[in-house]
């Protein structure tokens, strides 16, 4: 019969199924279940699967001691202080909030160029706070005059100043590098090397690095102008 012939065609290995037949024959239950291994931000490892259009946690796996994939937050304190000069120090907010560290380095003044970091020991140290954003587009050079003036005052008073931001790697480092370029009349490369040797973790953002190079070019141009001016006075 025609009905038997239709069934035979559908069961034949070489027969083609129409799209409608494929869709009708589809069953979610026939799909192989997929599991995904996930490492969370805290380092916790879990296995997830889908069921009824929702994600379910199948199993929680203990985080391996050997580390693994994923980001693991570093909650250790950064108390390393870079001694640029006996009276000029560079560090993080952790160092600025640790009284033992400050006493150990005989700190008398603190220049806080962080954003949103409170000064911890107002009765023990002389503070100057300037909120600077750690963004490449921030004009770090505009903060140089007041920062340099504060550092110079500490030097004249035979004090010890700690310059810090949040992490002590970008803003505070750029301020200290600029100060050395200005006070010691050295190049950006030399000043950067001095600071890097004292505190290896420094890494001013790309915008600050470019501005420091521009700062050097401006100083060199000013120096050339002064030399030409002196030569002109000598000839006259």
């Amino acid at each position: 019969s025609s009905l038997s012939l239709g069934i035979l065609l559908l069961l034949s290995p070489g027969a083609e199924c129409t799209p409608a037949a494929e869709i009708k024959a589809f069953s979610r239950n026939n799909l192989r279940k997929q599991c995904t291994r996930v490492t969370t931000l805290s380092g916790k490892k879990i296995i997830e699967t889908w069921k009824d259009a929702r994600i379910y946690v199948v199993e929680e796996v203990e985080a391996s001691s050997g580390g693994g994939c994923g980001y693991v937050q570093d909650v250790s304190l950064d108390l390393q202080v870079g001694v640029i000069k006996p009276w000029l120090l560079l560090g993080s907010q952790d160092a600025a909030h640790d009284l033992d560290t400050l006493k150990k380095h005989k700190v008398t003044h603190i220049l806080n160029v962080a954003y949103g970091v409170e000064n911890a020991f107002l009765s023990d140290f002389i503070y100057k706070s300037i909120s600077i954003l750690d963004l490449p587009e921030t004009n770090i050079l505009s903060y140089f005059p007041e920062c340099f003036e504060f550092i110079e005052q500490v030097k004249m008073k035979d004090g010890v100043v700690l310059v810090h931001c949040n992490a002590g790697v970008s803003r505070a480092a750029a301020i200290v590098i600029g100060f050395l370029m200005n006070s010691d009349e050295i190049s950006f490369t030399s000043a950067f090397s001095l600071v890097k040797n004292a505190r290896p973790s420094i890494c001013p953002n790309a915008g600050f690095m470019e501005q420091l190079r521009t700062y050097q070019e401006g100083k060199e141009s000013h120096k050339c102008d002064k030399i030409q001016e002196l030569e002109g006075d000598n000839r006259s």
Side-chain angles (χ1 to χ4, degrees), residues 163-233:
V163 183
H164 82 89
C165 49
N166 293 74
V169 301
S170 184
R171 285 161 289 187
I175 294 296
V176 172
I177 291 169
F179 176 80
L180 293 176
M181 292 170 65
N182 183 66
S183 64
D184 293 4
E185 296 187 348
I186 58 177
S187 68
F188 162 70
T189 303
S190 297
F192 181 88
S193 296
L194 283 172
V195 178
K196 186 77 170 176
N197 288 336
R199 183 167 167 78
S201 62
I202 71 156
C203 186
N205 70 52
F208 292 173
M209 293 286 280
E210 186 61 34
Q211 290 178 62
L212 286 166
R213 294 188 181 97
T214 301
Y215 184 61
Q216 174 177 308
E217 292 170 3
K219 291 182 70 63
E220 289 174 348
S221 177
H222 179 68
K223 189 175 182 180
C224 289
D225 290 343
K226 287 189 70 175
I227 292 173
Q228 290 176 359
E229 185 181 326
L230 287 172
E231 289 176 347
D233 290 342

Side-chain angles (χ1 to χ4, degrees), residues 17-191:
C17 291
T18 64
E22 288 180 354
I23 294 170
K24 191 172 181 180
F26 172 81
S27 172
R28 186 183 292 272
N29 294 329
N30 292 333
L31 292 176
R32 180 184 175 188
K33 295 204 180 305
Q34 296 292 324
C35 292
T36 305
R37 293 179 179 272
V38 178
T39 302
T40 66
L41 291 176
S42 63
K44 187 178 183 180
K45 296 180 183 299
I46 60 177
I47 298 176
E48 293 179 342
T49 190
W50 283 86
K51 182 180 179 183
D52 299 328
R54 295 180 63 184
I55 294 178
Y56 290 86
V57 176
V58 178
E59 182 182 355
E60 293 188 6
V61 184
E62 290 295 325
S64 61
S65 58
C69 299
Y71 168 77
V72 179
Q73 185 179 7
D74 183 5
V75 295
S76 60
L77 292 176
D78 176 13
L79 300 179
Q80 192 268 335
V81 173
V83 181
I84 314 302
K85 293 177 179 286
W87 49 270
L88 177 58
L89 313 176
L90 171 63
S92 70
Q93 63 177 330
D94 293 335
H97 285 183
D98 189 84
L99 191 57
D100 289 339
T101 298
L102 296 172
K103 296 286 188 184
K104 172 187 171 185
H105 290 279
K106 298 180 171 56
V107 173
T108 59
H109 295 66
I110 297 177
L111 175 56
N112 176 0
V113 296
Y115 188 86
V117 175
E118 298 293 327
N119 297 321
F121 311 107
L122 294 174
S123 59
D124 296 287
F125 307 99
I126 298 172
Y127 285 89
K128 182 175 183 65
S129 297
I130 306 172
S131 294
I132 303 176
L133 292 173
D134 188 22
L135 299 171
E137 59 266 29
T138 296
N139 184 0
I140 193 74
L141 302 184
S142 67
Y143 298 100
F144 279 7
E146 55 184 324
C147 289
F148 294 177
E149 182 181 4
F150 183 75
I151 296 172
E152 285 288 357
Q153 287 176 354
V154 176
K155 179 183 178 183
M156 289 171 60
K157 294 175 181 176
D158 294 325
V160 176
V161 59
L162 170 69
V163 183
H164 82 89
C165 49
N166 293 74
V169 301
S170 184
R171 285 161 289 187
I175 294 296
V176 172
I177 291 169
F179 176 80
L180 293 176
M181 292 170 65
N182 183 66
S183 64
D184 293 4
E185 296 187 348
I186 58 177
S187 68
F188 162 70
T189 303
S190 297

